[in-house]
Structures are given as C-alpha cells and as structure tokens.
C-alpha cells in the first residue's frame, strides 16, 4: 500500500526505516541474497515511506575543466596517465557556464553540477569557481561541484560562496580501491567528505560498479557510505562506462540484475538519500532503467553528456518519464525576499573580487 504523501516524514521511525550507520557486512550480504522480487518489494516499502515514488530529481552536469588530471583512476578518460584521445580544455569562462546553467533550468533541471579534472583546486582557480557558484545560484538552481580533494579552508570558501552540494565518490570498497587508484588514498577521500560536511555543505558520494570488483566489494562500498553520518544526501550509483585507452576498457560487463540489486540495497540502507541512476544510462535499455526506478533510484543526470561520456538525450528521458508516469521532483529554487536581500547586501563585497576574478579568467591554465 502506498503511504500517503503527507505521511512521508511521519512513518519512517514507526516502520523501522530510520537511518542506520551500523550495518554489518553479513546484514548487507543478506539483503543482496534476497529473492529479487522480495528485495524490490522491501526497497519500495522504504522508498515510499520517505519519497513520492513517482518523482525524480533532475540534475545537469557540466565539465568546467577537462582532461590532464594527474590522478590514475583506471576508469577515467580524463586521467593524464592514459591515451584516450580526449582533448584537454582549460577552465571554462564564467559566462559560458552561466549560459549552460540557464539552458539546464529551461530543460527542467533543478540542480547544476560542475566538474573539474583537478587533484585539488589552486587558489586562483577557486576564486573563479566561487564566482561560478554565485552566478549559477542567481539563475535559480541548486549548485554542486566536484573539484577533487578540498581541505577545510577550501570547503569553507565554497560554502560561503553558496555551494549546496559537493561530490566526491568513494568509488569502490576499501579492499578493492588499490586495484583502481594509487595516486590518492581512501582516507584522502573520507577526509574530503569530512571537510565538506564540517563546512555545512551537503554531501554527494557514491561509487562505480562493474570495475571487476566482487560482490563483497559492492557490499563493502555501501557499508562505507552508510557509515557516513549523516548519510550522503545524494548517492550516485554508476555503471562503468568502458572507455578505450583506459585500463578497464575490456573488463567483463556487470549483469544488469546485479546493478539493480545494488540500487535496491542502497535505497534500503540509506532511506532518506536521493539514489542517483548515474553514469552508464546510455548503455541501459528502458527496461533496466525502469527497474532501477522501481528499486528506489530517484535522481538522474539529464542531458547529452556526463563530463566526457555519453548520456541519454533529454528528449529520450522525457519520453521514458511519460511512459512510466514519472515526473521531475519539484523544488522551490527561486529566492525568497529574505534570501534576495541578503544576496544584494553581499554584492558590494563581491564586487571587491570582481576585478581579480576577471584577471584570473584571462590566464586560467590547465
């Protein structure tokens, strides 16, 4: 039975769907081992206790600086360690970013995500990024960024600029991590997430499935995500996109049913998080995507590209939504009078940085 929408936030404690941070691997493995129908039924119960089960949050992702990343992530076409024929690009001009944000809002997105291929942002780059956040928020969108590792001061600056979400994925289990990345540690990633949370921003963190990991690694990844307190507000579950030139280009495909199981277990373990059906949708047929939504996925990236890999066209997404009876999650993104007044009061201070930002934009380097 569907829980009435007005009870979405009243039922979880009574029904035992509260947040937990103490999931054991045995418990998680037991969820994965459930008969498929039972697992999806349980996920739907949790899902409907917290969300409108027919609403999907829509984000758009833009690469604001592409290629030549010093990290050696084996799945990534932007790594400078591999020859993927990807043309590197310097940091985008602020005006072009804002133009893309306006187009995203017109297409139905409520959140605008910006990604840069850095190990960590430099000070002069961060000044430009802060201005991007301010101007994209003025368009009336939630903002999200992924810029690599950030320390406490950098996270605080991004929060002060108004950044809503920071994305930093754990990628895989602690045990399998060294098979995928050697240039930054698992603890580095956890430290960045801690800095983001301490700065007052929301956390977007998930992982990539189908990188040759075992089933136990998928359980351990979800365990690590659920240990975060509070849970990440957004949990992207990616299916590996195999890019020629990367070390994982010939890895064996993950069974789509195993991917759907991971979506369902993530929904059960992190009941109040948005679980995002992320990279890999281009390779999924409509039936697989429909099962993902049934399993509790309630967020997608919208548009024709995810940083440097393909994504279903917006028209295809709209057609699928119509076929399934889904609709974009509606959120209030316009400024209130109080927020507008506060923003206007800060404009004088922001103008102090404007000249410096303009100078940096001229020589923003790769």
């Amino acid at each position: 039975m569907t829980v009435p929408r007005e009870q979405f936030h009243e039922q979880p404690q009574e029904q035992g769907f509260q947040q937990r941070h103490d999931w054991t691997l045995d418990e998680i493995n037991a969820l994965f081992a459930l008969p498929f129908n039972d697992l999806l039924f349980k996920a739907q119960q949790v899902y409907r206790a917290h969300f409108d089960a027919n609403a999907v949050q829509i984000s758009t992702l833009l690469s604001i600086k592409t290629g030549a990343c010093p990290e050696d992530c084996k799945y990534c076409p932007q790594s400078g360690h591999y020859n993927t024929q990807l043309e590197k690009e310097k940091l985008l001009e602020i005006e072009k970013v804002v133009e893309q944000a306006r187009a995203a809002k017109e297409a139905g997105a409520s959140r605008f995500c910006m990604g840069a291929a850095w190990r960590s942002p430099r000070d002069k780059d961060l000044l430009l990024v802060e201005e991007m956040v301010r101007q994209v928020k003025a368009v009336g969108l939630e903002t999200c960024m992924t810029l690599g590792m950030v320390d406490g001061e950098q996270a605080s600056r991004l929060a002060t600029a108004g950044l809503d979400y920071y994305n930093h994925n754990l990628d895989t289990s602690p045990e399998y991590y060294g098979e995928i990345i050697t240039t930054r540690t698992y603890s580095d990633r956890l430290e960045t997430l801690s800095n983001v949370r301490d700065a007052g921003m929301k956390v977007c963190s998930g992982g990539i499935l189908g990188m040759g990991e075992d089933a136990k690694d998928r359980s351990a990844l979800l365990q690590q995500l659920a240990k975060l307190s509070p849970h990440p507000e957004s949990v992207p579950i990616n299916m590996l996109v195999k890019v020629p030139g990367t070390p994982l280009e010939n890895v064996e495909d993950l069974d789509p049913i195993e991917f759907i199981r991971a979506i369902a277990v993530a929904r059960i373990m992190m009941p109040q998080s948005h679980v995002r059906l992320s990279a890999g949708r281009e390779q999924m047929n409509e039936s697989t995507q429909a099962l993902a939504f049934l399993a509790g996925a309630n967020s997608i990236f919208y548009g024709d590209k995810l940083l440097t890999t393909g994504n279903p066209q917006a028209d295809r997404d709209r057609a699928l939504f119509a076929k399934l009876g889904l609709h974009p999650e509606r959120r209030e993104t316009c400024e209130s009078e109080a927020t507008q007044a506060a923003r206007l009061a800060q404009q004088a201070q922001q103008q102090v940085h404007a000249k410096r930002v303009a100078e940096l934009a001229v020589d923003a380097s790769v």
Side-chain angles (χ1 to χ4, degrees), residues 7-219:
Q7 297 182 30
F8 283 170
H9 300 289
E10 298 175 2
Q11 292 294 323
Q13 298 294 329
E14 296 177 6
Q15 295 186 2
F17 298 151
Q18 69 273 20
Q19 289 200 32
R20 286 181 52 192
H21 305 280
D22 60 349
W23 288 90
T24 68
L25 286 176
D26 285 344
E27 288 178 306
I28 301 168
N29 291 335
L31 287 175
F32 271 103
L34 284 172
F36 189 67
N37 287 345
D38 292 347
L39 176 60
L40 263 60
F41 179 70
K42 185 175 181 66
Q44 268 284 310
Q45 287 180 302
V46 175
Y47 186 17
R48 290 172 179 270
H50 295 275
F51 291 98
D52 176 351
N54 295 308
V56 178
Q57 189 276 325
I58 294 175
S59 298
T60 293
L61 178 60
L62 174 70
S63 179
I64 60 174
K65 187 271 178 189
T66 303
C69 181
E71 306 285 14
D72 67 351
C73 309
K74 289 184 179 179
Y75 54 80
C76 186
Q78 301 205 63
S79 172
H81 294 259
Y82 316 124
N83 181 16
T84 61
Q85 307 300 317
L86 181 70
E87 185 175 347
K88 63 183 181 181
E89 300 173 359
K90 66 180 182 179
L91 188 66
L92 285 181
E93 298 174 0
I94 294 173
E95 292 77 10
K96 291 183 178 179
V97 174
V98 175
E99 180 182 341
Q100 291 293 318
R102 292 195 182 100
K105 184 179 180 182
E106 291 175 2
S110 61
R111 187 180 307 160
F112 192 70
C113 304
M114 295 159 274
W118 289 321
R119 176 177 173 82
S120 184
R122 297 171 297 180
D123 184 67
K124 69 176 186 177
D125 296 321
L126 198 59
L127 282 170
L128 292 168
V129 163
E130 289 171 301
E131 186 62 21
M132 288 179 189
V133 171
R134 296 185 188 102
Q135 294 199 28
V136 170
K137 284 186 71 69
V139 171
L141 289 167
E142 290 182 319
T143 52
C144 178
M145 283 196 161
T146 177
L147 312 172
M149 294 183 290
V150 291
D151 59 27
E153 180 183 358
Q154 291 171 322
S156 180
R157 286 176 57 178
L158 290 168
T160 300
L163 187 63
D164 298 298
Y165 288 80
Y166 194 84
N167 167 256
H168 201 63
N169 289 335
L170 294 182
D171 285 350
T172 188
S173 70
E175 295 76 17
Y176 193 64
Y177 183 83
E179 299 295 321
I180 303 299
I181 303 155
T182 66
T183 50
R184 88 174 68 161
T185 66
Y186 213 80
S187 60
D188 287 335
R189 291 182 180 268
L190 291 171
E191 182 178 359
T192 287
L193 293 176
S194 178
N195 292 334
V196 168
R197 187 64 81 187
D198 289 345
M201 288 181 287
K202 296 175 182 177
V203 168
C204 175
S205 186
I208 305 171
L209 309 186
M211 297 193 293
E213 77 280 353
D214 293 331
K216 65 179 184 295
D217 293 307
R218 294 191 282 278
S219 292

Side-chain angles (χ1 to χ4, degrees), residues 238-241 277-284 306 309-312:
N238 301 272
M239 177 77 89
L240 175 69
V241 177
L277 181 58
S278 199
R281 279 206 306 129
E282 177 75 10
Q283 288 74 40
M284 296 178 193
L306 295 185
T309 58
N311 194 47

Side-chain angles (χ1 to χ4, degrees), residues 297-308:
N298 63 338
S299 178
I300 62 167
F301 277 124
Y302 200 54
D304 61 359
K305 185 180 286 189
L306 295 185
L307 294 181
T308 59

